[in-house]
Amino acid sequence: MSFYFDNGATTIHKPKVVAEKVAEVLSANSYGNPSRGAHLYSLQAYQVVADARESLKKLFQATDKYEVAFTNNATVALNEVLKGVIQPGDHVLTTSWEHNSVLRPLYQLAEAGATLDFVSSDAVTGRLNYLEFEEKLRPETKVVVCNHASNVTGNVLDLDWVKAFCRRYDLLLILDISQTAGVLPIDLSDEKIAAVCFTGHKSLYGPQGTGGVCVRKDVDIEPVLTGGDGMRSFSKTQPKELPTLLEAGTVNVPGIAGLGAAVEWGMENPVSGQEELGQYFVEQLNEMPEVTLYGDFEGARVNVFSLNIADADSALVSDLLWADYEIATRPGYHCAPLMHEALGTAERGTVRFSFSRFTTQEEVDQVLRALRALTEGK
């Protein structure tokens, strides 16, 4: 029997309705190309995509001032938003928590003339040094980009603080919610957040190859991808209306249908008991002197845990966990180099355990037994 603890990369246990909905779209012979015709097949495809949009807007408590545009993951969504909003001469504030899906687009934009500053993290807890937002603010600051929760430590952003800061200085706030969508409430009802970029295959429990952005309609975005929209064929430019502005070409109808089904299932089946399970995991790890656990365990967090055992390389520990105990984890740097530099783990990385809503007490106990055996050299 194997034990899966790499849910921060992708969840493998999906609700049954997800596969059923994907199979329906692929096998019913009744779903065509949305917005590419007035016949029944096109309209049915359009409707399933529209339903998924509405489900996501409901999940994110988005007002009518927002629209959802679909991409094939959070990386594409972040590229579209960041490269569509940030111009040469703009200054961007971001953090050491960020994933490469934020960092690499920002580095490209810096080469084109934008400027960047990074809010640092505490070397012990990984907690952000929030006062640096004020210290690093410039007259040309336009955008703040933040990871809602670190995919290394599980620390959760003090979003109220950051929203107040952005409101005070009239800055656009863009959030990467890859680790929090489906786990923590995402509330856009106060309309202070410009855009949230999400992926479908993590804690939303949708298919891989799905994701998108929920963006405020007044945000000025220049499209990165342009192409067919099915309506204004003689226009030389991409239509400015959302979601068409960010959805050039045919969308992934089967995947979006599965994502919509997953979102509806999640809203009908709230998560319970996972916070207590995470606390139990931490308490047990703290009793193992050879284990170093990284993160802030006093504030809000998601169930993502990074650790090391003595001076062992993270890849070795992860390999042993799989080879000897069939426990799947993620070693290394998790595409978050600045976070590992802050924690002092840039040489060996960490072993990451990430839970899902389907993770059980029995599975956690099996992991703890394996870790005790490794720390005791058994």
Side-chain angles (χ1 to χ4, degrees):
M1 180 178 179
S2 61
F3 304 88
Y4 187 78
F5 280 84
D6 197 17
N7 294 285
T10 193
T11 51
I12 61 168
H13 188 171
K14 312 289 187 181
K16 186 179 179 181
V17 292
V18 176
E20 290 174 343
K21 192 64 179 180
V22 173
E24 175 192 323
V25 172
L26 290 174
S27 62
N29 300 325
S30 58
Y31 291 88
N33 199 319
S35 302
R36 301 305 195 272
H39 49 72
L40 177 64
Y41 303 102
S42 179
L43 294 175
Q44 289 193 158
Y46 177 87
Q47 190 61 55
V48 80
V49 173
D51 289 345
R53 281 193 223 283
E54 290 306 309
S55 294
L56 283 157
K57 289 171 70 174
K58 182 179 177 182
L59 177 68
F60 299 149
Q61 301 180 62
T63 68
D64 290 340
K65 292 186 178 181
Y66 287 87
E67 187 56 274
V68 168
F70 288 109
T71 65
N72 60 344
N73 49 48
T75 297
V76 174
L78 286 160
N79 270 266
E80 286 194 342
V81 175
L82 296 175
K83 292 176 180 177
V85 169
I86 299 166
Q87 303 298 319
D90 291 340
H91 177 243
V92 181
L93 281 172
T94 188
T95 81
S96 59
W97 287 13
E98 305 313 309
H99 189 277
N100 275 334
S101 56
V102 167
L103 295 177
R104 287 175 175 166
L106 289 181
Y107 292 146
Q108 284 185 306
L109 288 163
E111 290 179 358
T115 54
L116 313 175
D117 270 305
F118 296 88
V119 173
S120 67
S121 302
D122 180 81
V124 177
T125 64
R127 187 184 300 125
L128 282 177
N129 296 314
Y130 288 93
L131 294 181
E132 291 184 9
F133 280 97
E134 294 274 0
E135 295 167 1
K136 296 181 177 181
L137 183 70
R138 300 185 192 178
E140 64 270 26
T141 305
K142 178 180 180 180
V143 173
V144 173
V145 187
C146 291
N147 199 337
H148 193 199
S150 168
N151 70 315
V152 177
T153 64
N155 294 354
V156 173
L157 185 74
D158 186 343
L159 185 53
D160 288 340
W161 193 99
V162 176
K163 285 198 296 187
F165 170 78
C166 291
R167 186 179 183 87
R168 187 156 61 248
Y169 295 107
D170 193 25
L171 306 175
L172 295 175
L173 175 56
I174 298 168
L175 284 185
D176 176 357
I177 60 171
S178 297
Q179 295 294 326
T180 55
V183 178
L184 299 178
I186 307 296
D187 186 355
L188 301 180
S189 63
D190 62 9
E191 300 174 356
K192 294 178 183 178
I193 298 173
V196 293
C197 298
F198 61 91
T199 195
H201 66 99
K202 299 183 192 287
S203 293
L204 288 177
Y205 300 94
Q208 291 170 319
T210 61
V213 56
C214 187
V215 59
R216 214 171 54 218
K217 295 175 184 177
D218 65 349
V219 177
D220 186 15
I221 301 179
E222 187 67 26
V224 174
L225 300 174
T226 57
D229 67 280
M231 295 179 290
R232 300 181 184 179
S233 295
F234 285 90
S235 174
K236 294 181 180 180
T237 60
Q238 195 71 13
K240 291 293 185 182
E241 295 84 7
L242 288 166
T244 307
L245 178 70
L246 301 177
E247 283 184 355
T250 300
V251 296
N252 177 7
V253 177
I256 291 168
L259 176 59
V263 170
E264 284 294 321
W265 179 89
M267 288 190 289
E268 294 168 4
N269 297 274
V271 182
S272 63
Q274 292 301 298
E275 184 177 349
E276 292 79 7
L277 192 58
Q279 291 172 349
Y280 169 75
F281 188 55
V282 170
E283 289 167 1
Q284 296 299 306
L285 290 175
N286 285 335
E287 295 180 3
M288 302 180 198
E290 295 297 308
V291 170
T292 300
L293 187 60
Y294 303 92
D296 179 6
F297 299 96
E298 295 181 358
R301 55 178 299 105
V302 294
N303 277 349
V304 172
F305 308 94
S306 281
L307 59 83
N308 277 313
I309 296 178
D311 59 356
D313 187 84
S314 64
L316 173 62
V317 173
S318 186
D319 286 348
L320 288 172
L321 285 168
W322 178 250
D324 295 346
Y325 304 97
E326 292 192 71
I327 295 170
T329 60
R330 169 86 181 273
Y333 306 111
H334 315 98
C335 300
L338 301 185
M339 188 74 260
H340 282 280
E341 288 177 359
L343 295 172
T345 54
E347 292 299 319
R348 59 173 173 159
T350 59
V351 183
R352 186 182 72 182
F353 295 81
S354 44
F355 296 9
S356 82
R357 65 159 64 212
F358 298 109
T359 301
T360 66
Q361 178 80 47
E362 292 73 21
E363 291 173 321
V364 171
D365 283 336
Q366 176 62 20
V367 167
L368 292 168
R369 283 191 291 270
L371 289 173
R372 289 190 188 99
L374 288 178
T375 58
E376 295 167 3
K378 297 178 180 179

